[in-house]
Protein backbone atom coordinates (compact mmCIF):
# COMPACT_ATOMS: atom_id res chain seq x y z
CA UNK A 1 0.00 0.00 0.00
CA UNK A 2 1.17 3.49 -0.88
CA UNK A 3 -0.30 6.19 1.36
CA UNK A 4 -0.39 9.94 0.73
CA UNK A 5 -0.53 11.80 4.05
CA UNK A 6 -1.66 15.42 4.39
CA UNK A 7 -2.62 17.45 7.44
CA UNK A 8 -3.08 20.87 8.99
CA UNK A 9 -5.10 22.38 6.17
CA UNK A 10 -6.60 25.03 8.42
CA UNK A 11 -9.20 26.18 5.92
CA UNK A 12 -6.76 26.80 3.05
CA UNK A 13 -8.75 25.37 0.15
CA UNK A 14 -6.42 26.73 -2.54
CA UNK A 15 -3.44 24.91 -1.01
CA UNK A 16 -5.49 21.75 -0.56
CA UNK A 17 -6.46 21.70 -4.22
CA UNK A 18 -2.83 22.13 -5.29
CA UNK A 19 -1.74 19.32 -2.97
CA UNK A 20 -4.46 17.00 -4.24
CA UNK A 21 -3.35 17.57 -7.83
CA UNK A 22 0.18 16.56 -6.84
CA UNK A 23 -1.10 13.59 -4.86
CA UNK A 24 -3.16 12.39 -7.82
CA UNK A 25 0.02 12.16 -9.91
CA UNK A 26 1.50 9.86 -7.24
CA UNK A 27 -1.40 7.39 -7.67
CA UNK A 28 -1.55 6.35 -4.01
CA UNK A 29 -3.73 3.49 -2.86
CA UNK A 30 -5.06 5.62 -0.04
CA UNK A 31 -5.10 9.24 1.14
CA UNK A 32 -5.06 10.06 4.85
CA UNK A 33 -5.93 13.49 6.28
CA UNK A 34 -4.53 13.94 9.76
CA UNK A 35 -6.58 16.72 11.31
CA UNK A 36 -6.73 20.46 11.86
CA UNK A 37 -9.00 20.85 8.89
CA UNK A 38 -10.76 24.21 9.11
CA UNK A 39 -9.70 26.78 11.75
CA UNK A 40 -7.75 29.98 10.91
CA UNK A 41 -8.04 29.88 7.11
CA UNK A 42 -10.30 31.75 4.69
CA UNK A 43 -12.29 28.77 3.33
CA UNK A 44 -13.26 26.36 6.12
CA UNK A 45 -16.47 25.04 4.57
CA UNK A 46 -14.99 24.67 1.11
CA UNK A 47 -11.97 22.85 2.55
CA UNK A 48 -14.15 20.43 4.48
CA UNK A 49 -16.35 19.72 1.46
CA UNK A 50 -13.31 19.06 -0.73
CA UNK A 51 -11.87 16.61 1.79
CA UNK A 52 -15.12 14.68 1.71
CA UNK A 53 -14.85 14.30 -2.07
CA UNK A 54 -11.50 12.48 -1.91
CA UNK A 55 -11.77 8.84 -2.91
CA UNK A 56 -10.48 6.12 -0.59
CA UNK A 57 -9.69 8.52 2.24
CA UNK A 58 -9.33 8.23 6.00
CA UNK A 59 -9.83 11.46 7.95
CA UNK A 60 -9.18 12.11 11.63
CA UNK A 61 -9.70 15.23 13.70
CA UNK A 62 -7.02 17.48 15.16
CA UNK A 63 -6.81 19.63 18.26
CA UNK A 64 -8.28 22.76 16.64
CA UNK A 65 -11.15 20.68 15.27
CA UNK A 66 -11.82 19.48 18.81
CA UNK A 67 -11.57 23.01 20.20
CA UNK A 68 -14.15 24.19 17.67
CA UNK A 69 -16.56 21.42 18.57
CA UNK A 70 -16.17 22.01 22.30
CA UNK A 71 -16.66 25.79 22.20
CA UNK A 72 -20.02 26.97 23.47
CA UNK A 73 -19.32 30.68 23.97
CA UNK A 74 -17.23 33.39 22.27
CA UNK A 75 -13.96 34.65 23.72
CA UNK A 76 -12.10 37.95 23.45
CA UNK A 77 -8.75 36.26 22.82
CA UNK A 78 -7.78 36.42 19.10
CA UNK A 79 -7.10 32.69 18.67
CA UNK A 80 -10.41 31.69 20.24
CA UNK A 81 -12.24 34.45 18.36
CA UNK A 82 -10.91 32.97 15.12
CA UNK A 83 -12.07 29.47 16.08
CA UNK A 84 -15.49 30.84 17.07
CA UNK A 85 -15.72 32.65 13.70
CA UNK A 86 -14.87 29.41 11.92
CA UNK A 87 -17.45 27.46 13.94
CA UNK A 88 -20.19 29.81 12.76
CA UNK A 89 -19.22 29.65 9.08
CA UNK A 90 -19.87 25.89 9.01
CA UNK A 91 -23.31 24.45 8.38
CA UNK A 92 -24.91 22.09 10.87
CA UNK A 93 -24.23 19.22 8.48
CA UNK A 94 -20.55 20.16 8.12
CA UNK A 95 -20.19 20.45 11.89
CA UNK A 96 -21.83 17.05 12.33
CA UNK A 97 -19.32 15.55 9.91
CA UNK A 98 -16.44 17.11 11.83
CA UNK A 99 -17.87 15.71 15.07
CA UNK A 100 -18.07 12.23 13.55
CA UNK A 101 -14.33 12.01 12.91
CA UNK A 102 -12.18 9.77 15.14
CA UNK A 103 -9.14 11.00 17.04
CA UNK A 104 -7.01 8.12 15.70
CA UNK A 105 -7.26 5.23 13.26
CA UNK A 106 -5.14 2.16 12.60
CA UNK A 107 -4.59 0.81 9.07
CA UNK A 108 -3.27 -2.70 8.52
CA UNK A 109 -2.02 -3.65 5.05
CA UNK A 110 0.92 -5.42 3.44
CA UNK A 111 2.09 -6.75 6.79
CA UNK A 112 2.49 -3.25 8.24
CA UNK A 113 0.29 -1.60 10.87
CA UNK A 114 0.05 2.19 10.63
CA UNK A 115 -1.35 4.57 13.25
CA UNK A 116 -2.99 7.76 12.04
CA UNK A 117 -2.92 10.45 14.71
CA UNK A 118 -2.82 14.22 14.75
CA UNK A 119 0.02 15.05 17.15
CA UNK A 120 1.24 11.84 18.80
CA UNK A 121 -0.17 8.43 19.78
CA UNK A 122 -1.92 9.62 22.95
CA UNK A 123 -2.54 13.36 22.48
CA UNK A 124 -3.89 15.65 19.78
CA UNK A 125 -1.89 18.63 21.07
CA UNK A 126 1.45 17.08 22.09
CA UNK A 127 3.55 16.28 19.06
CA UNK A 128 6.98 15.41 17.67
CA UNK A 129 8.82 18.71 17.37
CA UNK A 130 12.16 19.06 15.52
CA UNK A 131 14.93 19.76 18.00
CA UNK A 132 13.26 17.69 20.72
CA UNK A 133 14.23 14.26 19.40
CA UNK A 134 15.12 13.04 22.88
CA UNK A 135 11.37 12.63 23.50
CA UNK A 136 10.62 10.82 20.23
CA UNK A 137 11.48 7.29 21.34
CA UNK A 138 9.37 7.49 24.50
CA UNK A 139 6.34 8.87 22.66
CA UNK A 140 6.68 6.48 19.74
CA UNK A 141 6.83 3.52 22.14
CA UNK A 142 3.25 4.36 23.17
CA UNK A 143 2.10 3.08 19.79
CA UNK A 144 1.91 -0.63 18.99
CA UNK A 145 1.96 0.08 15.26
CA UNK A 146 5.05 -0.14 13.06
CA UNK A 147 4.46 3.23 11.41
CA UNK A 148 3.03 6.42 12.97
CA UNK A 149 1.72 9.16 10.65
CA UNK A 150 1.06 12.55 12.23
CA UNK A 151 1.04 16.32 11.72
CA UNK A 152 0.39 19.17 14.20
CA UNK A 153 3.84 20.76 14.25
CA UNK A 154 3.57 22.13 10.68
CA UNK A 155 7.17 20.96 10.20
CA UNK A 156 7.82 17.88 8.04
CA UNK A 157 10.18 15.15 9.22
CA UNK A 158 10.57 11.40 9.33
CA UNK A 159 12.65 9.14 11.53
CA UNK A 160 13.34 5.43 11.95
CA UNK A 161 13.55 4.67 15.66
CA UNK A 162 14.24 1.05 16.48
CA UNK A 163 11.75 -1.01 14.49
CA UNK A 164 9.26 1.85 14.15
CA UNK A 165 8.85 4.66 11.65
CA UNK A 166 7.65 8.18 12.47
CA UNK A 167 6.36 10.38 9.63
CA UNK A 168 5.18 13.96 10.08
CA UNK A 169 3.92 15.31 6.75
CA UNK A 170 4.20 18.94 7.87
CA UNK A 171 1.30 21.14 6.78
CA UNK A 172 -0.66 21.49 3.57
CA UNK A 173 -2.20 24.80 4.67
CA UNK A 174 0.28 26.78 6.77
CA UNK A 175 3.86 25.39 6.95
CA UNK A 176 5.95 26.78 9.82
CA UNK A 177 9.47 25.64 8.91
CA UNK A 178 10.37 28.75 6.92
CA UNK A 179 9.28 27.27 3.58
CA UNK A 180 5.75 28.48 2.68
CA UNK A 181 5.19 25.72 0.14
CA UNK A 182 2.63 23.10 1.22
CA UNK A 183 4.07 19.74 2.23
CA UNK A 184 2.78 16.18 2.15
CA UNK A 185 4.22 12.69 2.57
CA UNK A 186 4.23 9.58 0.37
CA UNK A 187 4.68 6.37 2.36
CA UNK A 188 5.26 3.06 0.58
CA UNK A 189 4.33 0.37 3.08
CA UNK A 190 4.75 -2.70 0.88
CA UNK A 191 5.93 -5.68 2.89
CA UNK A 192 8.78 -6.65 0.57
CA UNK A 193 10.91 -3.79 1.87
CA UNK A 194 10.90 -1.39 4.86
CA UNK A 195 8.59 1.61 4.43
CA UNK A 196 9.97 4.07 1.90
CA UNK A 197 9.19 7.66 2.88
CA UNK A 198 9.24 10.82 0.74
CA UNK A 199 8.44 14.30 2.01
CA UNK A 200 7.26 16.51 -0.85
CA UNK A 201 6.77 20.28 -1.35
CA UNK A 202 4.82 22.00 -4.11
CA UNK A 203 4.39 25.54 -5.39
CA UNK A 204 0.98 27.20 -5.38
CA UNK A 205 -0.63 30.65 -5.43
CA UNK A 206 -0.09 31.70 -1.82
CA UNK A 207 -0.78 35.34 -2.73
CA UNK A 208 -4.32 34.38 -3.69
CA UNK A 209 -4.80 32.98 -0.19
CA UNK A 210 -3.44 36.18 1.35
CA UNK A 211 -5.92 38.15 -0.76
CA UNK A 212 -8.77 35.92 0.42
CA UNK A 213 -7.77 36.58 4.03
CA UNK A 214 -7.65 40.33 3.40
CA UNK A 215 -11.23 40.25 2.15
CA UNK A 216 -12.93 38.60 5.14
CA UNK A 217 -13.61 39.52 8.77
CA UNK A 218 -11.83 36.50 10.26
CA UNK A 219 -10.06 37.50 13.51
CA UNK A 220 -6.28 37.19 13.03
CA UNK A 221 -6.74 37.38 9.23
CA UNK A 222 -3.79 39.76 8.77
CA UNK A 223 -1.54 37.53 10.86
CA UNK A 224 -2.59 34.42 8.96
CA UNK A 225 -1.90 36.18 5.65
CA UNK A 226 1.65 36.88 6.84
CA UNK A 227 2.07 33.28 7.98
CA UNK A 228 0.98 31.87 4.64
CA UNK A 229 3.50 34.07 2.79
CA UNK A 230 6.55 33.49 4.99
CA UNK A 231 5.93 29.94 6.23
CA UNK A 232 6.60 30.77 9.87
CA UNK A 233 4.69 30.65 13.16
CA UNK A 234 4.35 34.40 13.71
CA UNK A 235 2.80 35.29 17.06
CA UNK A 236 -0.32 37.49 17.53
Amino acid sequence: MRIAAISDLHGNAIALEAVLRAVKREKPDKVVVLGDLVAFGPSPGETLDRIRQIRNVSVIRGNTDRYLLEMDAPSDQPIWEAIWWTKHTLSEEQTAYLASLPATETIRADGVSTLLCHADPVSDDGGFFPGKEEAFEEKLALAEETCVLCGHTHRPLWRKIGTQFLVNDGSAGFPYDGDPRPSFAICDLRAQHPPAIRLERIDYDMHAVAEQLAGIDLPMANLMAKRVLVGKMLRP
Side-chain angles (χ1 to χ4, degrees):
M1 177 179 281
R2 296 179 71 246
I3 296 176
I6 61 179
S7 72
D8 298 277
L9 305 163
H10 288 287
N12 188 342
I14 292 177
L16 172 59
E17 199 59 51
V19 168
L20 290 178
R21 286 196 295 269
V23 165
K24 185 177 181 180
R25 292 192 291 270
E26 296 285 347
K27 298 180 179 180
D29 300 300
K30 189 175 188 64
V31 177
V32 300
V33 184
L34 304 175
D36 276 10
L37 309 179
V38 293
F40 306 128
S43 309
E46 182 182 350
T47 301
L48 203 59
D49 289 344
R50 185 66 183 92
I51 290 169
R52 297 172 71 180
Q53 295 169 3
I54 302 171
R55 296 180 61 186
N56 198 15
V57 66
S58 288
V59 187
I60 63 171
R61 70 171 185 263
N63 61 305
T64 61
D65 305 317
R66 176 172 59 83
Y67 299 159
L68 181 152
L69 293 167
E70 292 174 350
M71 284 193 77
D72 56 10
S75 168
D76 58 2
Q77 297 180 8
I79 289 176
W80 298 108
E81 283 183 332
I83 293 176
W84 185 256
W85 180 94
T86 302
K87 184 182 182 78
H88 287 274
T89 66
L90 299 179
S91 68
E92 290 185 8
E93 195 274 337
Q94 288 170 328
T95 302
Y97 169 75
L98 200 62
S100 74
L101 298 176
T104 64
E105 181 178 340
T106 297
I107 298 171
R108 292 180 173 87
D110 297 327
V112 178
S113 59
T114 301
L115 175 67
L116 313 182
C117 58
H118 178 64
D120 62 46
V122 297
S123 171
D124 66 10
D125 58 5
F128 295 91
F129 285 87
K132 297 182 178 180
E133 279 82 358
E134 67 279 359
F136 284 12
E137 184 174 358
E138 181 178 354
K139 287 187 175 184
L140 201 58
L142 298 173
E144 297 178 354
E145 293 82 356
T146 300
C147 189
V148 173
L149 303 185
C150 64
H152 183 62
T153 68
H154 296 223
R155 297 166 176 86
L157 63 80
W158 79 270
R159 299 284 188 274
K160 182 179 185 299
I161 300 175
T163 59
Q164 291 177 294
F165 290 79
L166 166 67
V167 183
N168 187 321
D169 64 83
S171 172
F174 290 87
Y176 289 161
D177 62 346
D179 184 342
R181 295 176 301 161
S183 62
F184 65 96
I186 299 294
C187 308
D188 190 337
L189 305 179
R190 288 175 294 185
Q192 58 264 37
H193 58 70
I197 313 300
R198 289 185 6 244
L199 299 173
E200 299 289 341
R201 308 298 285 245
I202 60 164
D203 293 314
Y204 85 116
D205 191 352
M206 63 188 72
H207 294 282
V209 182
E211 290 175 5
Q212 283 184 332
L213 285 160
I216 59 176
D217 60 354
L218 167 71
M220 293 177 56
N222 290 337
L223 177 65
M224 298 310 296
K226 292 177 182 177
R227 287 180 179 180
V228 82
L229 293 175
V230 302
K232 292 183 179 180
M233 176 59 173
L234 304 176
R235 297 291 179 182

